[in-house]
Amino acid sequence: MTPVPRPIAPIAAPDPDDNDSTNRPTIASATSASHHGHRRAAPGPQGLSVWATAQSTGPVQRRGRYVPDSVRHPARMLPAIAAHAIDSYTSPGDLVLDPMCGIGTTLVEAAHLGRDAIGVEYESTWSDIADANIAHAHTQGATGRASVVRGDATRITSLLPAALAGRVSLVVTSPPYGPTVHGLVRPQAGAGVQKSDNTYNDGTDKGNLAYRDLPGLAEGFAEILAGCAALLTPGGIVVVTARPWRKRGELVDLPSAVIGAGTAAGLVPIERCVALLAAVRGGRLIARPSFFQLSAVRKARAAGVPMHLIAHEDVIVLAKPLPQPSGEGEAR
Protein backbone atom coordinates (compact mmCIF):
# COMPACT_ATOMS: atom_id res chain seq x y z
CA MET A 1 0.00 0.00 0.00
CA THR A 2 1.47 3.34 -1.05
CA PRO A 3 1.85 5.81 1.86
CA VAL A 4 -0.30 8.95 1.64
CA PRO A 5 2.03 11.86 0.81
CA ARG A 6 2.26 14.87 3.07
CA PRO A 7 0.46 18.01 1.77
CA ILE A 8 3.37 20.08 0.54
CA ALA A 9 4.36 22.41 -2.24
CA PRO A 10 4.54 21.66 -5.95
CA ILE A 11 7.85 21.83 -7.78
CA ALA A 12 8.51 25.50 -8.51
CA ALA A 13 11.20 27.60 -10.08
CA PRO A 14 14.22 28.60 -7.97
CA ASP A 15 13.81 31.72 -5.92
CA PRO A 16 15.67 34.71 -7.42
CA ASP A 17 16.45 35.91 -3.89
CA ASP A 18 18.62 32.83 -3.23
CA ASN A 19 21.79 34.76 -4.11
CA ASP A 20 21.02 37.71 -1.88
CA SER A 21 23.86 37.56 0.63
CA THR A 22 22.29 40.35 2.70
CA ASN A 23 19.43 38.12 3.86
CA ARG A 24 19.59 36.88 7.42
CA PRO A 25 17.41 34.52 9.47
CA THR A 26 13.83 35.74 9.38
CA ILE A 27 12.13 36.21 12.76
CA ALA A 28 8.34 36.45 12.66
CA SER A 29 7.17 39.54 14.51
CA ALA A 30 3.82 38.30 15.80
CA THR A 31 4.14 37.36 19.47
CA SER A 32 1.93 37.04 22.50
CA ALA A 33 2.28 36.50 26.23
CA SER A 34 3.83 33.19 27.22
CA HIS A 35 5.11 31.16 30.15
CA HIS A 36 6.75 33.26 32.89
CA GLY A 37 7.13 36.42 30.82
CA HIS A 38 8.78 34.78 27.82
CA ARG A 39 7.35 35.46 24.40
CA ARG A 40 5.90 32.80 22.20
CA ALA A 41 4.82 32.66 18.58
CA ALA A 42 1.20 33.73 18.16
CA PRO A 43 -0.90 30.87 16.80
CA GLY A 44 -2.50 31.21 13.39
CA PRO A 45 -5.89 29.91 12.20
CA GLN A 46 -7.17 26.87 14.11
CA GLY A 47 -4.22 27.04 16.50
CA LEU A 48 -1.60 26.51 13.79
CA SER A 49 1.61 28.51 14.16
CA VAL A 50 3.64 28.83 10.93
CA TRP A 51 7.21 30.02 11.17
CA ALA A 52 8.40 31.75 7.97
CA THR A 53 11.95 30.48 8.40
CA ALA A 54 13.05 29.96 4.78
CA GLN A 55 12.56 33.35 3.18
CA SER A 56 16.22 32.95 2.22
CA THR A 57 18.01 29.65 1.61
CA GLY A 58 20.12 27.84 4.18
CA PRO A 59 23.42 28.76 2.45
CA VAL A 60 22.39 32.42 2.37
CA GLN A 61 21.40 32.34 6.05
CA ARG A 62 24.80 30.90 6.99
CA ARG A 63 27.02 32.86 4.58
CA GLY A 64 29.50 34.93 6.58
CA ARG A 65 27.77 34.00 9.83
CA TYR A 66 29.28 30.50 10.09
CA VAL A 67 32.75 29.20 9.29
CA PRO A 68 33.11 27.48 5.88
CA ASP A 69 33.63 24.00 7.39
CA SER A 70 30.05 24.14 8.71
CA VAL A 71 28.82 22.89 5.34
CA ARG A 72 30.36 19.48 6.09
CA HIS A 73 27.69 18.54 8.66
CA PRO A 74 25.16 16.21 7.03
CA ALA A 75 22.03 17.57 8.72
CA ARG A 76 22.12 21.23 9.72
CA MET A 77 19.21 23.09 11.32
CA LEU A 78 18.21 26.29 9.55
CA PRO A 79 19.56 29.23 11.59
CA ALA A 80 16.21 31.00 11.26
CA ILE A 81 14.41 28.09 12.96
CA ALA A 82 16.73 28.23 15.97
CA ALA A 83 16.57 32.04 16.05
CA HIS A 84 12.77 32.09 15.92
CA ALA A 85 12.48 29.60 18.78
CA ILE A 86 14.98 31.50 20.93
CA ASP A 87 13.38 34.89 20.23
CA SER A 88 9.88 33.52 20.89
CA TYR A 89 10.44 31.56 24.09
CA THR A 90 13.25 33.37 25.96
CA SER A 91 14.42 36.79 27.05
CA PRO A 92 17.95 38.26 26.88
CA GLY A 93 20.19 36.73 29.54
CA ASP A 94 18.31 33.41 29.63
CA LEU A 95 20.19 30.12 29.26
CA VAL A 96 19.57 27.98 26.15
CA LEU A 97 20.64 24.33 25.77
CA ASP A 98 21.10 22.12 22.72
CA PRO A 99 21.93 18.51 23.73
CA MET A 100 22.73 17.50 20.12
CA CYS A 101 24.25 20.74 18.93
CA GLY A 102 26.15 19.67 15.80
CA ILE A 103 27.98 22.68 14.37
CA GLY A 104 26.44 24.92 17.04
CA THR A 105 23.57 26.60 15.18
CA THR A 106 21.44 26.97 18.31
CA LEU A 107 24.41 28.31 20.28
CA VAL A 108 25.41 30.84 17.64
CA GLU A 109 21.89 32.20 17.21
CA ALA A 110 21.44 32.39 20.99
CA ALA A 111 24.68 34.35 21.37
CA HIS A 112 23.63 36.79 18.62
CA LEU A 113 20.33 37.34 20.47
CA GLY A 114 22.02 38.08 23.79
CA ARG A 115 21.27 34.74 25.42
CA ASP A 116 23.79 32.39 27.01
CA ALA A 117 23.99 28.89 25.60
CA ILE A 118 25.57 25.51 26.18
CA GLY A 119 25.64 22.54 23.86
CA VAL A 120 26.57 18.86 23.94
CA GLU A 121 27.92 17.12 20.84
CA TYR A 122 28.84 13.44 20.49
CA GLU A 123 31.33 13.77 17.62
CA SER A 124 34.53 15.79 18.04
CA THR A 125 34.56 16.89 14.38
CA TRP A 126 31.34 18.84 14.87
CA SER A 127 32.13 20.10 18.38
CA ASP A 128 35.35 21.60 17.03
CA ILE A 129 33.41 23.36 14.27
CA ALA A 130 30.84 24.54 16.83
CA ASP A 131 33.67 26.07 18.89
CA ALA A 132 34.91 27.86 15.77
CA ASN A 133 31.41 29.14 15.00
CA ILE A 134 30.99 30.50 18.52
CA ALA A 135 34.34 32.29 18.30
CA HIS A 136 33.33 33.67 14.90
CA ALA A 137 30.01 34.93 16.32
CA HIS A 138 31.86 36.89 18.99
CA THR A 139 34.04 38.57 16.35
CA GLN A 140 30.77 39.71 14.78
CA GLY A 141 29.53 41.31 17.98
CA ALA A 142 27.47 38.51 19.56
CA THR A 143 27.04 39.34 23.24
CA GLY A 144 25.84 36.01 24.64
CA ARG A 145 28.25 33.48 26.11
CA ALA A 146 28.31 29.97 24.66
CA SER A 147 30.28 26.77 25.03
CA VAL A 148 30.28 23.15 23.81
CA VAL A 149 30.84 19.97 25.81
CA ARG A 150 31.96 16.84 23.96
CA GLY A 151 30.10 13.72 25.09
CA ASP A 152 27.06 11.46 24.96
CA ALA A 153 23.88 13.47 25.59
CA THR A 154 22.06 10.43 27.00
CA ARG A 155 24.24 11.11 30.07
CA ILE A 156 23.83 14.89 29.93
CA THR A 157 23.38 15.44 33.67
CA SER A 158 26.79 13.88 34.33
CA LEU A 159 28.41 15.95 31.56
CA LEU A 160 27.21 19.39 32.65
CA PRO A 161 27.84 21.15 35.97
CA ALA A 162 25.31 20.33 38.70
CA ALA A 163 24.88 24.08 39.21
CA LEU A 164 22.95 24.25 35.92
CA ALA A 165 20.09 22.13 37.30
CA GLY A 166 16.88 24.17 37.13
CA ARG A 167 18.52 27.08 35.27
CA VAL A 168 17.88 26.29 31.60
CA SER A 169 15.00 28.30 30.11
CA LEU A 170 14.86 26.67 26.69
CA VAL A 171 16.07 23.54 24.92
CA VAL A 172 16.28 23.67 21.11
CA THR A 173 17.39 20.56 19.25
CA SER A 174 16.65 18.05 16.50
CA PRO A 175 17.15 14.27 16.46
CA PRO A 176 19.02 12.61 13.58
CA TYR A 177 17.08 11.25 10.58
CA GLY A 178 19.06 8.02 10.26
CA PRO A 179 22.71 7.23 9.47
CA THR A 180 22.62 8.30 5.81
CA VAL A 181 21.49 11.77 4.83
CA HIS A 182 21.70 13.81 1.66
CA GLY A 183 25.11 15.43 2.20
CA LEU A 184 26.87 17.37 -0.54
CA VAL A 185 26.90 16.63 -4.27
CA ARG A 186 29.31 17.66 -7.00
CA PRO A 187 28.89 16.72 -10.68
CA GLN A 188 32.04 15.37 -12.34
CA ALA A 189 32.45 14.98 -16.08
CA GLY A 190 32.17 11.33 -17.05
CA ALA A 191 31.64 10.21 -13.45
CA GLY A 192 28.11 11.39 -12.74
CA VAL A 193 27.32 12.93 -9.37
CA GLN A 194 29.80 12.49 -6.53
CA LYS A 195 28.38 12.49 -2.99
CA SER A 196 30.29 13.52 0.15
CA ASP A 197 29.63 14.32 3.82
CA ASN A 198 26.50 12.17 3.77
CA THR A 199 26.99 10.09 6.94
CA TYR A 200 27.62 10.65 10.64
CA ASN A 201 31.31 9.90 11.33
CA ASP A 202 32.84 7.21 9.09
CA GLY A 203 30.24 4.61 9.95
CA THR A 204 32.41 2.72 12.44
CA ASP A 205 31.18 4.42 15.64
CA LYS A 206 27.62 3.25 16.22
CA GLY A 207 27.23 5.27 19.43
CA ASN A 208 25.54 8.06 17.49
CA LEU A 209 21.73 7.84 17.78
CA ALA A 210 21.54 8.08 13.99
CA TYR A 211 22.52 4.40 13.80
CA ARG A 212 19.54 3.19 15.86
CA ASP A 213 16.20 2.08 14.44
CA LEU A 214 13.15 4.22 15.24
CA PRO A 215 12.29 2.51 18.57
CA GLY A 216 15.95 2.72 19.63
CA LEU A 217 16.17 6.36 18.52
CA ALA A 218 13.01 7.21 20.47
CA GLU A 219 14.36 5.44 23.57
CA GLY A 220 17.68 7.28 23.41
CA PHE A 221 15.99 10.60 22.72
CA ALA A 222 13.70 10.08 25.72
CA GLU A 223 16.84 9.63 27.87
CA ILE A 224 18.22 12.89 26.49
CA LEU A 225 14.96 14.76 27.13
CA ALA A 226 14.76 13.36 30.67
CA GLY A 227 18.21 14.80 31.34
CA CYS A 228 17.16 18.11 29.81
CA ALA A 229 14.05 18.15 32.01
CA ALA A 230 16.29 17.97 35.08
CA LEU A 231 18.16 21.04 33.84
CA LEU A 232 15.07 23.05 32.87
CA THR A 233 13.52 25.66 35.10
CA PRO A 234 9.90 24.82 36.05
CA GLY A 235 7.77 25.85 33.09
CA GLY A 236 10.83 25.78 30.82
CA ILE A 237 10.31 24.99 27.15
CA VAL A 238 11.68 22.29 24.82
CA VAL A 239 11.53 22.89 21.05
CA VAL A 240 12.28 19.90 18.80
CA THR A 241 12.25 20.01 15.00
CA ALA A 242 11.56 16.76 13.18
CA ARG A 243 10.04 15.44 10.00
CA PRO A 244 9.11 12.03 8.67
CA TRP A 245 11.38 10.26 6.21
CA ARG A 246 10.88 7.37 3.85
CA LYS A 247 12.62 4.04 4.31
CA ARG A 248 12.12 1.59 1.45
CA GLY A 249 9.04 3.56 0.45
CA GLU A 250 7.42 3.54 3.90
CA LEU A 251 6.93 6.76 5.85
CA VAL A 252 8.71 6.81 9.23
CA ASP A 253 6.77 9.04 11.63
CA LEU A 254 9.56 10.72 13.60
CA PRO A 255 7.44 13.67 14.92
CA SER A 256 5.07 11.29 16.73
CA ALA A 257 8.07 9.41 18.15
CA VAL A 258 9.42 12.74 19.45
CA ILE A 259 6.13 13.47 21.23
CA GLY A 260 6.21 9.99 22.76
CA ALA A 261 9.81 10.49 23.90
CA GLY A 262 8.90 13.84 25.44
CA THR A 263 5.98 12.50 27.44
CA ALA A 264 8.10 9.54 28.56
CA ALA A 265 10.59 12.11 29.88
CA GLY A 266 7.87 13.81 31.93
CA LEU A 267 7.35 16.77 29.58
CA VAL A 268 3.96 18.08 28.47
CA PRO A 269 3.21 18.77 24.78
CA ILE A 270 1.84 22.31 24.41
CA GLU A 271 2.14 23.20 20.71
CA ARG A 272 2.77 21.64 17.32
CA CYS A 273 3.97 24.23 14.84
CA VAL A 274 5.22 24.32 11.26
CA ALA A 275 8.67 25.69 10.35
CA LEU A 276 8.71 26.39 6.63
CA LEU A 277 11.52 25.02 4.51
CA ALA A 278 10.00 26.87 1.55
CA ALA A 279 9.84 30.59 0.81
CA VAL A 280 6.55 32.46 0.59
CA ARG A 281 6.33 34.49 -2.61
CA GLY A 282 3.10 36.04 -3.85
CA GLY A 283 0.99 33.70 -1.76
CA ARG A 284 2.77 30.60 -3.07
CA LEU A 285 5.27 28.26 -1.44
CA ILE A 286 8.57 28.14 -3.34
CA ALA A 287 10.19 24.84 -2.44
CA ARG A 288 13.90 24.59 -1.69
CA PRO A 289 14.60 20.89 -2.34
CA SER A 290 17.94 19.16 -2.17
CA PHE A 291 19.31 17.57 -5.34
CA PHE A 292 18.36 14.12 -4.05
CA GLN A 293 14.87 15.08 -2.93
CA LEU A 294 14.10 16.71 -6.27
CA SER A 295 15.43 13.69 -8.14
CA ALA A 296 13.42 11.26 -5.99
CA VAL A 297 10.19 13.21 -6.43
CA ARG A 298 10.60 13.45 -10.20
CA LYS A 299 11.25 9.71 -10.47
CA ALA A 300 8.26 8.92 -8.26
CA ARG A 301 5.94 11.13 -10.28
CA ALA A 302 7.19 9.59 -13.51
CA ALA A 303 6.22 6.20 -12.04
CA GLY A 304 2.76 7.47 -11.13
CA VAL A 305 3.37 7.94 -7.39
CA PRO A 306 1.97 11.34 -6.24
CA MET A 307 4.99 12.32 -4.14
CA HIS A 308 5.61 15.98 -3.30
CA LEU A 309 8.53 18.09 -2.17
CA ILE A 310 8.99 18.63 1.54
CA ALA A 311 8.07 22.20 2.44
CA HIS A 312 8.20 22.20 6.24
CA GLU A 313 9.43 20.57 9.41
CA ASP A 314 7.18 19.80 12.35
CA VAL A 315 8.07 21.77 15.47
CA ILE A 316 7.14 19.95 18.66
CA VAL A 317 6.93 22.27 21.67
CA LEU A 318 6.90 20.73 25.15
CA ALA A 319 7.12 22.18 28.65
CA LYS A 320 8.37 21.11 32.05
CA PRO A 321 5.34 21.06 34.37
CA LEU A 322 5.11 23.68 37.07
CA PRO A 323 5.23 22.29 40.62
CA GLN A 324 1.82 21.79 42.14
CA PRO A 325 0.94 24.02 45.11
CA SER A 326 1.34 22.21 48.39
CA GLY A 327 -1.83 20.45 49.39
CA GLU A 328 -3.24 20.29 45.87
CA GLY A 329 -4.87 16.98 45.18
CA GLU A 330 -5.34 16.16 48.89
CA ALA A 331 -8.75 14.96 50.05
CA ARG A 332 -10.92 17.67 51.52
Side-chain angles (χ1 to χ4, degrees):
M1 180 173 166
T2 302
V4 177
R6 306 174 77 204
I8 41 187
I11 298 176
D15 183 357
D17 291 342
D18 286 356
N19 294 320
D20 181 4
S21 62
T22 63
N23 288 338
R24 284 290 178 250
T26 303
I27 308 299
S29 59
T31 56
S32 62
S34 74
H35 309 279
H36 307 291
H38 296 330
R39 298 191 300 161
R40 61 186 286 186
Q46 299 180 348
L48 176 66
S49 180
V50 178
W51 301 3
T53 45
Q55 294 299 88
S56 57
T57 63
V60 168
Q61 290 185 24
R62 297 184 190 94
R63 189 176 301 148
R65 195 173 179 89
Y66 291 79
V67 299
D69 272 351
S70 299
V71 73
R72 295 170 51 202
H73 193 281
R76 302 174 300 281
M77 182 184 291
L78 276 180
I81 293 178
H84 184 102
I86 294 162
D87 184 67
S88 297
Y89 295 103
T90 67
S91 300
D94 283 349
L95 179 61
V96 178
L97 166 67
D98 187 343
M100 307 174 77
C101 72
I103 60 168
T105 301
T106 296
L107 315 184
V108 167
E109 298 308 319
H112 277 294
L113 289 168
R115 281 70 165 170
D116 295 334
I118 189 164
V120 175
E121 173 50 41
Y122 182 79
E123 298 189 9
S124 59
T125 297
W126 313 130
S127 64
D128 290 345
I129 293 175
D131 280 332
N133 279 324
I134 292 167
H136 183 60
H138 288 144
T139 67
Q140 296 183 318
T143 57
R145 297 169 296 176
S147 61
V148 182
V149 175
R150 162 84 164 85
D152 183 349
T154 61
R155 299 192 294 271
I156 193 168
T157 53
S158 64
L159 293 175
L160 301 184
L164 293 183
R167 293 187 54 195
V168 173
S169 298
L170 173 67
V171 174
V172 181
T173 197
S174 181
Y177 299 126
T180 301
V181 289
H182 289 150
L184 304 177
V185 295
R186 180 177 291 105
Q188 291 189 355
V193 174
Q194 301 299 308
K195 184 188 293 189
S196 63
D197 297 309
N198 61 314
T199 61
Y200 292 91
N201 60 67
D202 60 1
T204 59
D205 184 353
K206 304 302 184 183
N208 193 308
L209 287 188
Y211 289 94
R212 298 190 186 185
D213 59 12
L214 185 61
L217 172 59
E219 180 183 359
F221 198 56
E223 292 179 51
I224 292 173
L225 292 181
C228 291
L231 299 169
L232 278 169
T233 185
I237 301 295
V238 176
V239 172
V240 183
T241 65
R243 64 174 182 255
W245 76 87
R246 282 186 171 85
K247 184 174 182 179
R248 292 189 288 274
E250 295 295 323
L251 205 61
V252 180
D253 188 4
L254 181 58
S256 293
V258 166
I259 294 173
T263 56
L267 300 169
V268 179
I270 58 172
E271 285 187 282
R272 186 163 181 170
C273 306
V274 167
L276 290 181
L277 303 175
V280 181
R281 298 286 185 267
R284 295 182 62 218
L285 292 180
I286 307 300
R288 304 190 187 282
S290 69
F291 170 88
F292 295 102
Q293 185 189 152
L294 187 59
S295 176
V297 168
R298 284 174 170 164
K299 289 176 181 176
R301 288 187 176 183
V305 179
M307 190 180 292
H308 298 272
L309 295 172
I310 296 172
H312 75 274
E313 286 193 319
D314 293 75
V315 182
I316 310 302
V317 184
L318 310 109
K320 180 176 180 176
L322 292 168
Q324 292 186 344
S326 58
E328 184 172 319
E330 294 179 0
R332 295 183 179 179

